[in-house]
Amino acid sequence: MSAAGEIMGAGIAVRGLHKRYGSTVALNGLDLDLQPGEVLGVAGPNGAGKSTLVRILAGEERADEGRLTFDGRPWSPVEEWQAVAVVHQAPQLFQNLTVAENVAAGREGTALFRPRLREADRKVMEALGIAALADRPLEDCTLATQQRTEIARALARDARVFLFDEPNSPLT
């Protein structure tokens, strides 16, 4: 941020973010700058607003007040959802699909076409140790495999922003 308080051009800028749940204040005027390529960890006790911040940045929830900019322009993660990949603490996957189908989910394009696993998808699955389980229904997999599947799905996306909300808590 510049001395005059202008929002920087590249990256994400959060200004004056507020979120309440009844009388509980989750975020109280949060200002945050994230530069391209930067990795930022947010730590705090339960109830500090970490997951709320992730859900707002992912477009899963709306802030009560504040503004977001992405590369210097107003940003709505709800409208530009494809720019954001999220891994939640509890996997949010399709139990009736295979591991591979879950990794490719979200890239269907139309109802007529099923997404195909790309070479990059396979490499991510190999790196996370789930390639051998590609054809296994997710419902038959351990929670740790399900979480690694969700991580693979996020990493395989063509997203510009990756948000991880305690993704390692279910891992063994």
Side-chain angles (χ1 to χ4, degrees), residues 52-75:
T52 298
L53 175 61
V54 167
R55 286 191 305 271
I56 290 171
L57 290 174
E60 297 170 357
E61 201 164 316
R62 293 200 183 266
D64 297 330
E65 292 178 48
R67 67 181 178 170
L68 301 172
T69 61
F70 192 27
D71 292 343
R73 60 182 176 72
W75 179 47

Side-chain angles (χ1 to χ4, degrees), residues 99 122 125-126 128-136:
V99 169
R122 293 181 209 291
M125 291 173 66
E126 286 173 16
L128 292 172
I130 59 173
L133 304 171
D135 296 324
R136 183 173 291 178

Side-chain angles (χ1 to χ4, degrees), residues 17-31:
L17 207 59
H18 290 265
K19 182 65 181 175
R20 297 179 73 95
Y21 300 98
S23 62
T24 302
V25 177
L27 299 171
N28 190 16
L30 176 68
D31 291 334

